[in-house]
Amino acid sequence: MNSDKFTRCLKLIYLLQTHLTRRTEDIASEVGVCKRTIFRYFRVLEDAGIPIRYDMEKGGHLIDHYFELKATQLSDDEIIALLLTAQLSANIFDREFGSDVNQAISKLITHLPNLIREELVNLLKACATDLPELLHLDGNQEVYSVIIKAIRKRLRVRITYATPEDSHLNRTCLAPYRLVASLDGWSIIGRSSVHRKVLRFEFNQIHHAEVTDDPYQLPCRFRRYMLPIRTA
């Protein structure tokens, strides 16, 4: 195997072992080859004992969860870019998640070589963000925490909400698909059991949220739920 093919096969492994299903055309685009070549790479990796499979339900390829190939060491520039991005975005989250991000950054910094650690600390001190207040969670921290837990565990969440047209409180059970932050504030996109369709619920509409024991599965074409969706 030549060096270019070897490099592309490694990149293919790193893409698939995130355990997120990926369509063949998306993989081909990211690796930089045609779809036919991707299938040849699949056969090469399978012959090497790497368990690649196609998930019919999710409509994409992935590597089985029990297999793991450790990523190569990150470059100095990649480390700086990653931690700087985390630091600049941490102030979006008021308490729970923001403190976790900052704590993770501190732990990672302690393991860096002295030179890059000094450069990174100086850079973090010199950078700040002035994000719109609408991006902050403010009083919706509890709702945010519940939604995050529901998405992580793939469990439906029961919400109590009010619409802009009606101050009366409504209830529905939601399968949360996407958590979205925009200049208009935070919202959750998911399938409502009451409306029997996918809707967007603004955080400032939700008065209460609680995780249920009822699991859900993402639809095969869940990527389309990144598109604008009618608000409840």
Side-chain angles (χ1 to χ4, degrees), residues 4-59:
D4 288 341
K5 185 176 181 181
F6 181 74
T7 300
R8 288 194 290 268
C9 281
L10 281 178
K11 185 173 183 179
L12 176 58
I13 294 171
Y14 296 148
L15 287 174
L16 295 179
Q17 75 169 4
T18 61
H19 309 313
L20 297 174
T21 53
R22 296 175 181 268
R23 299 183 303 166
T24 309
E25 51 265 41
D26 294 335
I27 297 171
S29 176
E30 292 191 60
V31 175
V33 297
C34 66
K35 290 171 61 176
R36 182 177 298 178
T37 300
I38 285 297
F39 284 111
R40 287 205 300 268
Y41 287 173
F42 283 166
R43 288 194 293 272
V44 169
L45 296 178
E46 287 167 354
D47 290 342
I50 298 175
I52 298 174
R53 66 181 178 86
Y54 184 81
D55 191 310
M56 293 291 294
E57 181 181 342
K58 297 180 180 178

Side-chain angles (χ1 to χ4, degrees), residues 103-231:
Q103 184 175 352
I105 291 173
S106 298
K107 288 181 178 179
L108 290 172
I109 287 176
T110 61
H111 293 284
L112 297 177
N114 290 337
L115 182 58
I116 185 176
R117 181 167 65 240
E118 183 178 351
E119 291 179 357
L120 181 59
V121 169
N122 290 337
L123 183 59
L124 294 179
K125 288 180 179 178
C127 294
T129 57
D130 187 16
L131 296 173
E133 291 184 0
L134 286 174
L135 282 179
H136 289 270
L137 292 168
D138 297 328
N140 295 314
Q141 177 70 45
E142 181 179 353
V143 171
Y144 170 83
S145 299
V146 170
I147 296 296
I148 286 292
K149 181 179 179 180
I151 292 176
R152 287 180 61 184
K153 302 296 184 182
R154 292 284 174 84
L155 295 173
R156 288 182 172 83
V157 60
R158 189 175 293 108
I159 63 171
T160 302
Y161 68 97
T163 63
E165 299 80 14
D166 183 8
S167 59
H168 183 266
L169 292 181
N170 304 282
R171 293 178 177 82
T172 188
C173 198
L174 191 71
Y177 293 161
R178 294 287 187 187
L179 182 65
V180 181
S182 67
L183 292 178
D184 295 326
W186 288 84
S187 59
I188 181 67
I189 295 173
R191 181 172 180 83
S192 166
S193 61
V194 172
H195 303 87
R196 296 186 178 181
K197 58 184 176 182
V198 177
L199 295 173
R200 178 192 297 267
F201 293 86
E202 305 295 338
F203 268 37
N204 57 17
Q205 294 178 320
I206 302 176
H207 291 248
H208 179 71
E210 60 178 307
V211 180
T212 71
D213 294 325
D214 188 14
Y216 70 92
Q217 294 180 337
L218 286 174
C220 293
R221 299 182 179 179
F222 69 92
R223 288 181 180 85
R224 68 189 179 93
Y225 297 128
M226 290 299 291
L227 299 175
I229 293 178
R230 189 175 71 84
T231 302

Side-chain angles (χ1 to χ4, degrees), residues 95-106:
R95 291 189 299 274
E96 182 178 335
F97 204 64
S99 62
D100 288 343
V101 171
N102 288 318
Q103 184 175 352
I105 291 173
S106 298

